[in-house]
Amino acid sequence: MSPTSAAPGPIQPIDPLAALRAPADPEHDVYLTGTVFLDIIFTGLDHAPVRGTESWARGMGSSPGGIANMATALARLGLHTTLAAAFGADVYGDYCWESLAHAEGVDLTHSRRVPGWHSPVTVSMAYEGERTMVTHEHPAPPPATRPAPPRSRACVTAYEPGRQEDWVRQAHAQGAKIFADVGWDESGRWDLATLPDLPYTHAFLPNATEAQRYTRTEAPERAVRALAELVPIAVVTRGAEGAIGIDSLTGESAEVPGLAVEALDPTGAGDVFVAGFMTGTLAGWPLADRLAFANLTAALSVQHFGGSLAAPGWAEVAAWWDRTARSADRDLVARHRFLDGLIPPGVRDWPRLRALPTIGFRAADARGA
């Protein structure tokens, strides 16, 4: 497989920003950078692997992972997405490049191939609604120069305690809105002062555990209020219980409950939530609609395995709304009524790539799965 070999073109999605676009706008809606992994996912395990035994998985899939989860989720929702990442010059790198550039339409102008460096690999085992991962990675050699990020409407990143990213400051100075979540603080300090890029943040979206630890609060509602004093938009995600947010720019606050779905693999669900929320924010939707849409896209993603390739497109959103709009759950229907004005006829016919047992199958084999 070669990154320049023939492959099906990217599916043209709904453009949620069509009404807002102007000639002077940045070429890209979203810029992001990070590490692309090849993800190999085992599903259908009855329990966690036991030392000294062999476990059998009823399902398996391969897909681009790492920062590719976010890039794919954004592109499938119609945002013009550009990714700066290193790709190994091996078959795994070919597969990840082709999947992102050709199948998903992610711009890789700012990415590079690295001869002699093998692609990072993560094996993920999904069971009982959780996952266990094993990763092998050698950091890619740094580029000779680190150019400034391209102009974009927004950027997305994950904060790490004590780490400052120059590109975040540069992007902010260029007018990009910074959307960020945060990882687990291995040091145990949970000190907001150790997140040096927080002052540049437009929207901060930690999960409930992280938010409560960083704010020294005992409930998500208190945590989001504390964070809203520090950033323009604060959102606290609560997994299956939904999300809560405050937009200090518009004066809105909102809370949405979780959606009842049968979760197969939670890999990448947090990235999908952020992508959904970014879509609504850049499109200027009310806060309640943004949270409901983000919650919906994340819920749809966990019903498939494969991280990036589990991310829903508008086809999945349209199919869900087609079923839900006729349901007897009046609250659920009312909460998502805004979808009526977003989904044109015919979108239900668009297929999407799904994770495959082997990267040896061509992209066309995954459509419609």
Side-chain angles (χ1 to χ4, degrees), residues 118-173:
H118 70 74
S119 300
V121 176
T122 292
V123 174
S124 177
M125 292 161 281
Y127 53 88
E128 299 174 356
E130 297 293 340
R131 58 179 173 161
T132 297
M133 297 180 290
V134 178
T135 295
H136 178 67
E137 175 193 10
H138 294 284
T145 59
R146 294 185 181 275
R151 287 186 62 235
S152 62
R153 296 175 187 267
C155 299
V156 58
T157 188
Y159 293 150
E160 292 184 13
R163 188 186 72 180
Q164 185 167 22
E165 297 282 7
D166 289 340
W167 72 264
V168 171
R169 173 180 48 80
Q170 293 168 344
H172 178 268

Short mmCIF file of all heavy atoms in Angstrom, two decimals, residues 118-173:
data_model
loop_
_atom_site.label_atom_id
_atom_site.label_comp_id
_atom_site.label_asym_id
_atom_site.label_seq_id
_atom_site.Cartn_x
_atom_site.Cartn_y
_atom_site.Cartn_z
N HIS A 118 9.81 3.25 12.44
CA HIS A 118 8.61 2.44 12.29
C HIS A 118 7.45 3.07 13.04
O HIS A 118 7.61 3.75 14.06
CB HIS A 118 8.84 1.00 12.76
CG HIS A 118 9.02 0.83 14.23
ND1 HIS A 118 7.99 0.92 15.12
CD2 HIS A 118 10.13 0.56 14.97
CE1 HIS A 118 8.44 0.71 16.36
NE2 HIS A 118 9.74 0.50 16.29
N SER A 119 6.27 2.85 12.52
CA SER A 119 5.07 3.46 13.08
C SER A 119 4.80 2.94 14.49
O SER A 119 4.95 1.75 14.76
CB SER A 119 3.87 3.16 12.20
OG SER A 119 4.07 3.66 10.89
N PRO A 120 4.38 3.81 15.41
CA PRO A 120 3.96 3.35 16.74
C PRO A 120 2.73 2.46 16.62
O PRO A 120 1.88 2.67 15.76
CB PRO A 120 3.63 4.65 17.48
CG PRO A 120 4.33 5.73 16.72
CD PRO A 120 4.34 5.28 15.30
N VAL A 121 2.64 1.47 17.50
CA VAL A 121 1.54 0.51 17.46
C VAL A 121 0.93 0.39 18.86
O VAL A 121 1.65 0.30 19.85
CB VAL A 121 2.01 -0.88 16.99
CG1 VAL A 121 0.87 -1.89 17.04
CG2 VAL A 121 2.57 -0.79 15.57
N THR A 122 -0.39 0.38 18.92
CA THR A 122 -1.11 0.13 20.16
C THR A 122 -2.07 -1.03 19.97
O THR A 122 -2.83 -1.06 19.00
CB THR A 122 -1.91 1.37 20.61
OG1 THR A 122 -1.01 2.40 20.99
CG2 THR A 122 -2.80 1.05 21.81
N VAL A 123 -2.02 -1.99 20.88
CA VAL A 123 -2.99 -3.09 20.92
C VAL A 123 -3.97 -2.78 22.05
O VAL A 123 -3.55 -2.55 23.19
CB VAL A 123 -2.31 -4.45 21.15
CG1 VAL A 123 -3.36 -5.54 21.33
CG2 VAL A 123 -1.39 -4.78 19.98
N SER A 124 -5.25 -2.73 21.71
CA SER A 124 -6.28 -2.39 22.67
C SER A 124 -7.22 -3.57 22.84
O SER A 124 -7.64 -4.19 21.85
CB SER A 124 -7.08 -1.17 22.20
OG SER A 124 -8.14 -0.86 23.08
N MET A 125 -7.53 -3.91 24.08
CA MET A 125 -8.45 -5.01 24.40
C MET A 125 -9.66 -4.44 25.10
O MET A 125 -9.54 -3.83 26.17
CB MET A 125 -7.74 -6.05 25.28
CG MET A 125 -6.64 -6.80 24.55
SD MET A 125 -5.46 -7.60 25.67
CE MET A 125 -4.43 -6.17 26.13
N ALA A 126 -10.82 -4.61 24.47
CA ALA A 126 -12.07 -4.05 25.01
C ALA A 126 -12.89 -5.16 25.67
O ALA A 126 -13.14 -6.20 25.07
CB ALA A 126 -12.88 -3.40 23.89
N TYR A 127 -13.30 -4.91 26.91
CA TYR A 127 -14.13 -5.87 27.64
C TYR A 127 -14.83 -5.14 28.78
O TYR A 127 -14.32 -4.17 29.35
CB TYR A 127 -13.28 -7.02 28.20
CG TYR A 127 -12.10 -6.55 29.03
CD1 TYR A 127 -12.23 -6.31 30.40
CD2 TYR A 127 -10.86 -6.31 28.45
CE1 TYR A 127 -11.17 -5.86 31.16
CE2 TYR A 127 -9.78 -5.86 29.20
CZ TYR A 127 -9.95 -5.64 30.55
OH TYR A 127 -8.89 -5.18 31.29
N GLU A 128 -16.03 -5.58 29.08
CA GLU A 128 -16.81 -5.06 30.21
C GLU A 128 -16.91 -3.54 30.19
O GLU A 128 -16.90 -2.87 31.22
CB GLU A 128 -16.20 -5.53 31.53
CG GLU A 128 -16.18 -7.05 31.68
CD GLU A 128 -15.44 -7.51 32.93
OE1 GLU A 128 -14.88 -6.64 33.63
OE2 GLU A 128 -15.42 -8.72 33.20
N GLY A 129 -16.99 -2.95 28.99
CA GLY A 129 -17.12 -1.52 28.86
C GLY A 129 -15.84 -0.74 29.11
O GLY A 129 -15.85 0.49 29.12
N GLU A 130 -14.73 -1.45 29.34
CA GLU A 130 -13.45 -0.80 29.57
C GLU A 130 -12.45 -1.26 28.51
O GLU A 130 -12.78 -2.01 27.60
CB GLU A 130 -12.93 -1.15 30.98
CG GLU A 130 -13.82 -0.66 32.11
CD GLU A 130 -13.86 0.86 32.21
OE1 GLU A 130 -12.92 1.51 31.68
OE2 GLU A 130 -14.81 1.38 32.79
N ARG A 131 -11.21 -0.81 28.65
CA ARG A 131 -10.18 -1.21 27.70
C ARG A 131 -8.83 -1.27 28.40
O ARG A 131 -8.57 -0.56 29.37
CB ARG A 131 -10.11 -0.23 26.53
CG ARG A 131 -9.83 1.20 26.97
CD ARG A 131 -9.74 2.16 25.83
NE ARG A 131 -9.64 3.53 26.32
CZ ARG A 131 -9.20 4.54 25.60
NH1 ARG A 131 -8.83 4.37 24.37
NH2 ARG A 131 -9.15 5.77 26.11
N THR A 132 -7.99 -2.14 27.89
CA THR A 132 -6.60 -2.24 28.34
C THR A 132 -5.72 -2.12 27.10
O THR A 132 -6.02 -2.72 26.06
CB THR A 132 -6.34 -3.58 29.03
OG1 THR A 132 -7.15 -3.66 30.21
CG2 THR A 132 -4.88 -3.73 29.42
N MET A 133 -4.65 -1.35 27.20
CA MET A 133 -3.84 -1.08 26.02
C MET A 133 -2.38 -1.41 26.27
O MET A 133 -1.86 -1.24 27.38
CB MET A 133 -3.97 0.38 25.59
CG MET A 133 -5.38 0.76 25.17
SD MET A 133 -5.51 2.50 24.67
CE MET A 133 -5.31 3.31 26.25
N VAL A 134 -1.71 -1.87 25.22
CA VAL A 134 -0.27 -2.10 25.21
C VAL A 134 0.29 -1.35 24.00
O VAL A 134 -0.21 -1.53 22.88
CB VAL A 134 0.08 -3.59 25.11
CG1 VAL A 134 1.60 -3.78 25.06
CG2 VAL A 134 -0.51 -4.37 26.29
N THR A 135 1.31 -0.52 24.21
CA THR A 135 1.84 0.33 23.14
C THR A 135 3.34 0.12 22.99
O THR A 135 4.06 -0.04 23.97
CB THR A 135 1.55 1.81 23.44
OG1 THR A 135 0.15 2.03 23.42
CG2 THR A 135 2.22 2.72 22.42
N HIS A 136 3.78 0.13 21.74
CA HIS A 136 5.21 0.13 21.42
C HIS A 136 5.50 1.34 20.55
O HIS A 136 4.88 1.51 19.49
CB HIS A 136 5.61 -1.14 20.69
CG HIS A 136 7.07 -1.17 20.30
ND1 HIS A 136 8.08 -1.22 21.23
CD2 HIS A 136 7.68 -1.11 19.09
CE1 HIS A 136 9.25 -1.23 20.62
NE2 HIS A 136 9.03 -1.16 19.31
N GLU A 137 6.43 2.18 21.01
CA GLU A 137 6.71 3.42 20.28
C GLU A 137 8.14 3.86 20.50
O GLU A 137 8.66 3.81 21.62
CB GLU A 137 5.77 4.54 20.75
CG GLU A 137 6.07 5.89 20.15
CD GLU A 137 5.36 7.04 20.85
OE1 GLU A 137 4.77 6.80 21.93
OE2 GLU A 137 5.41 8.17 20.34
N HIS A 138 8.79 4.28 19.42
CA HIS A 138 10.04 5.03 19.48
C HIS A 138 9.72 6.43 19.00
O HIS A 138 9.20 6.59 17.89
CB HIS A 138 11.11 4.41 18.59
CG HIS A 138 11.55 3.05 19.04
ND1 HIS A 138 12.39 2.86 20.11
CD2 HIS A 138 11.27 1.82 18.56
CE1 HIS A 138 12.61 1.56 20.27
NE2 HIS A 138 11.94 0.90 19.35
N PRO A 139 9.96 7.47 19.81
CA PRO A 139 9.63 8.82 19.37
C PRO A 139 10.28 9.16 18.04
O PRO A 139 11.43 8.80 17.77
CB PRO A 139 10.18 9.71 20.50
CG PRO A 139 10.20 8.80 21.70
CD PRO A 139 10.53 7.44 21.16
N ALA A 140 9.52 9.83 17.19
CA ALA A 140 10.06 10.22 15.88
C ALA A 140 11.14 11.27 16.04
O ALA A 140 11.06 12.12 16.94
CB ALA A 140 8.93 10.76 15.01
N PRO A 141 12.17 11.24 15.20
CA PRO A 141 13.18 12.30 15.26
C PRO A 141 12.54 13.65 14.98
O PRO A 141 11.64 13.74 14.13
CB PRO A 141 14.18 11.90 14.16
CG PRO A 141 13.43 10.98 13.26
CD PRO A 141 12.45 10.27 14.14
N PRO A 142 12.97 14.69 15.68
CA PRO A 142 12.34 16.00 15.48
C PRO A 142 12.66 16.54 14.09
O PRO A 142 13.71 16.24 13.52
CB PRO A 142 12.96 16.86 16.58
CG PRO A 142 14.27 16.21 16.88
CD PRO A 142 14.05 14.74 16.68
N PRO A 143 11.76 17.34 13.52
CA PRO A 143 12.06 17.96 12.22
C PRO A 143 13.17 18.97 12.34
O PRO A 143 13.46 19.48 13.44
CB PRO A 143 10.72 18.63 11.85
CG PRO A 143 10.04 18.86 13.16
CD PRO A 143 10.45 17.72 14.04
N ALA A 144 13.80 19.27 11.23
CA ALA A 144 14.92 20.22 11.24
C ALA A 144 14.46 21.61 11.69
O ALA A 144 15.18 22.32 12.38
CB ALA A 144 15.55 20.30 9.85
N THR A 145 13.26 21.99 11.31
CA THR A 145 12.70 23.27 11.73
C THR A 145 11.28 23.04 12.22
O THR A 145 10.62 22.07 11.82
CB THR A 145 12.68 24.29 10.58
OG1 THR A 145 11.89 23.76 9.50
CG2 THR A 145 14.09 24.56 10.07
N ARG A 146 10.81 23.90 13.06
CA ARG A 146 9.44 23.82 13.56
C ARG A 146 8.68 25.06 13.11
O ARG A 146 8.67 26.08 13.80
CB ARG A 146 9.44 23.70 15.08
CG ARG A 146 10.05 22.42 15.60
CD ARG A 146 9.90 22.29 17.10
NE ARG A 146 10.50 21.07 17.62
CZ ARG A 146 9.88 19.90 17.67
NH1 ARG A 146 8.65 19.80 17.22
NH2 ARG A 146 10.49 18.84 18.16
N PRO A 147 8.06 24.99 11.93
CA PRO A 147 7.34 26.16 11.43
C PRO A 147 6.12 26.48 12.28
O PRO A 147 5.59 25.63 13.00
CB PRO A 147 6.92 25.73 10.02
CG PRO A 147 6.87 24.23 10.09
CD PRO A 147 7.96 23.84 11.04
N ALA A 148 5.67 27.72 12.21
CA ALA A 148 4.47 28.12 12.92
C ALA A 148 3.27 27.38 12.35
O ALA A 148 3.26 27.01 11.17
CB ALA A 148 4.27 29.63 12.81
N PRO A 149 2.26 27.13 13.15
CA PRO A 149 1.06 26.45 12.63
C PRO A 149 0.38 27.31 11.58
O PRO A 149 0.45 28.54 11.61
CB PRO A 149 0.19 26.28 13.87
CG PRO A 149 0.64 27.35 14.81
CD PRO A 149 2.11 27.51 14.56
N PRO A 150 -0.29 26.68 10.61
CA PRO A 150 -1.03 27.46 9.62
C PRO A 150 -2.23 28.15 10.25
O PRO A 150 -2.71 27.75 11.31
CB PRO A 150 -1.47 26.40 8.61
CG PRO A 150 -1.58 25.15 9.42
CD PRO A 150 -0.47 25.23 10.43
N ARG A 151 -2.72 29.18 9.60
CA ARG A 151 -3.91 29.87 10.10
C ARG A 151 -5.09 28.91 10.06
O ARG A 151 -5.28 28.16 9.12
CB ARG A 151 -4.22 31.11 9.26
CG ARG A 151 -3.29 32.27 9.47
CD ARG A 151 -3.78 33.50 8.69
NE ARG A 151 -5.10 33.92 9.15
CZ ARG A 151 -6.15 34.07 8.36
NH1 ARG A 151 -6.09 33.77 7.06
NH2 ARG A 151 -7.31 34.50 8.85
N SER A 152 -5.89 28.96 11.11
CA SER A 152 -7.07 28.11 11.19
C SER A 152 -8.10 28.78 12.09
O SER A 152 -7.76 29.66 12.89
CB SER A 152 -6.71 26.73 11.74
OG SER A 152 -6.19 26.83 13.05
N ARG A 153 -9.34 28.35 11.97
CA ARG A 153 -10.37 28.88 12.85
C ARG A 153 -10.14 28.42 14.28
O ARG A 153 -10.43 29.13 15.24
CB ARG A 153 -11.75 28.39 12.40
CG ARG A 153 -12.22 28.88 11.05
CD ARG A 153 -13.54 28.22 10.69
NE ARG A 153 -13.94 28.52 9.34
CZ ARG A 153 -14.74 29.53 8.99
NH1 ARG A 153 -15.21 30.34 9.91
NH2 ARG A 153 -15.05 29.72 7.73
N ALA A 154 -9.66 27.17 14.41
CA ALA A 154 -9.53 26.58 15.74
C ALA A 154 -8.40 25.57 15.75
O ALA A 154 -7.94 25.10 14.70
CB ALA A 154 -10.84 25.90 16.14
N CYS A 155 -7.94 25.24 16.93
CA CYS A 155 -6.95 24.19 17.15
C CYS A 155 -7.44 23.33 18.30
O CYS A 155 -8.20 23.79 19.15
CB CYS A 155 -5.57 24.77 17.49
SG CYS A 155 -4.86 25.81 16.20
N VAL A 156 -6.97 22.10 18.32
CA VAL A 156 -7.33 21.21 19.42
C VAL A 156 -6.07 20.57 19.97
O VAL A 156 -5.17 20.21 19.22
CB VAL A 156 -8.35 20.14 18.95
CG1 VAL A 156 -7.81 19.32 17.82
CG2 VAL A 156 -8.78 19.26 20.11
N THR A 157 -6.01 20.47 21.29
CA THR A 157 -4.82 19.91 21.93
C THR A 157 -5.22 19.26 23.25
O THR A 157 -6.34 19.41 23.72
CB THR A 157 -3.77 21.02 22.17
OG1 THR A 157 -2.55 20.44 22.63
CG2 THR A 157 -4.26 22.03 23.20
N ALA A 158 -4.29 18.53 23.81
CA ALA A 158 -4.47 17.93 25.14
C ALA A 158 -3.36 18.46 26.03
O ALA A 158 -2.17 18.31 25.71
CB ALA A 158 -4.41 16.41 25.05
N TYR A 159 -3.72 19.07 27.14
CA TYR A 159 -2.73 19.63 28.05
C TYR A 159 -2.11 18.54 28.91
O TYR A 159 -2.78 17.58 29.30
CB TYR A 159 -3.37 20.69 28.95
CG TYR A 159 -3.83 21.93 28.22
CD1 TYR A 159 -4.92 22.66 28.67
CD2 TYR A 159 -3.18 22.37 27.07
CE1 TYR A 159 -5.34 23.81 28.02
CE2 TYR A 159 -3.59 23.50 26.40
CZ TYR A 159 -4.68 24.22 26.87
OH TYR A 159 -5.10 25.34 26.22
N GLU A 160 -0.84 18.71 29.19
CA GLU A 160 -0.12 17.85 30.12
C GLU A 160 0.54 18.72 31.17
O GLU A 160 1.10 19.78 30.83
CB GLU A 160 0.93 17.01 29.40
CG GLU A 160 0.37 15.96 28.47
CD GLU A 160 1.47 15.10 27.87
OE1 GLU A 160 2.61 15.17 28.37
OE2 GLU A 160 1.19 14.38 26.90
N PRO A 161 0.48 18.35 32.44
CA PRO A 161 1.09 19.17 33.48
C PRO A 161 2.56 19.45 33.19
O PRO A 161 3.34 18.54 32.87
CB PRO A 161 0.93 18.31 34.74
CG PRO A 161 -0.27 17.46 34.46
CD PRO A 161 -0.19 17.16 32.99
N GLY A 162 2.93 20.72 33.29
CA GLY A 162 4.32 21.13 33.12
C GLY A 162 4.77 21.28 31.68
O GLY A 162 5.91 21.71 31.44
N ARG A 163 3.93 20.96 30.71
CA ARG A 163 4.35 21.05 29.31
C ARG A 163 3.72 22.27 28.66
O ARG A 163 2.52 22.47 28.73
CB ARG A 163 3.93 19.80 28.54
CG ARG A 163 4.50 19.75 27.11
CD ARG A 163 3.94 18.57 26.34
NE ARG A 163 2.53 18.78 25.99
CZ ARG A 163 1.80 17.91 25.31
NH1 ARG A 163 2.33 16.75 24.96
NH2 ARG A 163 0.53 18.18 25.03
N GLN A 164 4.57 23.08 28.02
CA GLN A 164 4.08 24.24 27.28
C GLN A 164 4.36 24.02 25.80
O GLN A 164 5.47 23.62 25.42
CB GLN A 164 4.74 25.52 27.76
CG GLN A 164 4.18 26.78 27.11
CD GLN A 164 4.63 28.05 27.80
OE1 GLN A 164 5.65 28.05 28.50
NE2 GLN A 164 3.88 29.12 27.64
N GLU A 165 3.38 24.27 24.97
CA GLU A 165 3.52 24.10 23.53
C GLU A 165 3.57 25.46 22.86
O GLU A 165 2.59 26.22 22.90
CB GLU A 165 2.35 23.28 22.98
CG GLU A 165 2.25 21.87 23.51
CD GLU A 165 3.26 20.93 22.85
OE1 GLU A 165 4.10 21.41 22.08
OE2 GLU A 165 3.19 19.72 23.11
N ASP A 166 4.69 25.77 22.20
CA ASP A 166 4.82 27.07 21.54
C ASP A 166 3.76 27.26 20.46
O ASP A 166 3.26 28.37 20.25
CB ASP A 166 6.22 27.21 20.92
CG ASP A 166 7.32 27.38 21.97
OD1 ASP A 166 6.98 27.76 23.11
OD2 ASP A 166 8.49 27.12 21.64
N TRP A 167 3.38 26.16 19.79
CA TRP A 167 2.44 26.31 18.69
C TRP A 167 1.06 26.74 19.18
O TRP A 167 0.33 27.41 18.45
CB TRP A 167 2.35 25.02 17.87
CG TRP A 167 1.64 23.87 18.53
CD1 TRP A 167 2.20 22.84 19.22
CD2 TRP A 167 0.22 23.64 18.55
NE1 TRP A 167 1.23 21.98 19.67
CE2 TRP A 167 0.01 22.44 19.27
CE3 TRP A 167 -0.88 24.31 18.02
CZ2 TRP A 167 -1.26 21.91 19.48
CZ3 TRP A 167 -2.15 23.79 18.23
CH2 TRP A 167 -2.33 22.60 18.94
N VAL A 168 0.72 26.39 20.42
CA VAL A 168 -0.56 26.82 20.98
C VAL A 168 -0.58 28.34 21.11
O VAL A 168 -1.55 29.00 20.71
CB VAL A 168 -0.83 26.13 22.33
CG1 VAL A 168 -2.05 26.75 23.01
CG2 VAL A 168 -1.02 24.64 22.15
N ARG A 169 0.47 28.88 21.66
CA ARG A 169 0.56 30.34 21.79
C ARG A 169 0.55 31.02 20.42
O ARG A 169 -0.12 32.04 20.22
CB ARG A 169 1.83 30.71 22.57
CG ARG A 169 2.12 32.19 22.63
CD ARG A 169 3.40 32.47 23.41
NE ARG A 169 4.50 31.62 22.97
CZ ARG A 169 5.23 31.88 21.87
NH1 ARG A 169 4.96 32.94 21.13
NH2 ARG A 169 6.22 31.07 21.55
N GLN A 170 1.28 30.44 19.46
CA GLN A 170 1.34 31.02 18.12
C GLN A 170 -0.03 30.98 17.44
O GLN A 170 -0.45 31.96 16.81
CB GLN A 170 2.37 30.26 17.28
CG GLN A 170 3.81 30.44 17.77
CD GLN A 170 4.77 29.46 17.11
OE1 GLN A 170 4.36 28.46 16.52
NE2 GLN A 170 6.05 29.76 17.21
N ALA A 171 -0.71 29.86 17.58
CA ALA A 171 -2.03 29.73 16.96
C ALA A 171 -3.01 30.72 17.59
O ALA A 171 -3.82 31.35 16.89
CB ALA A 171 -2.54 28.30 17.12
N HIS A 172 -2.94 30.87 18.89
CA HIS A 172 -3.80 31.82 19.58
C HIS A 172 -3.54 33.23 19.08
O HIS A 172 -4.48 34.02 18.85
CB HIS A 172 -3.57 31.73 21.09
CG HIS A 172 -4.38 32.69 21.90
ND1 HIS A 172 -3.90 33.95 22.25
CD2 HIS A 172 -5.63 32.62 22.42
CE1 HIS A 172 -4.81 34.57 22.96
NE2 HIS A 172 -5.87 33.79 23.07
N ALA A 173 -2.27 33.57 18.90
CA ALA A 173 -1.91 34.90 18.41
C ALA A 173 -2.43 35.14 16.99
O ALA A 173 -2.69 36.29 16.61
CB ALA A 173 -0.39 35.07 18.45
#
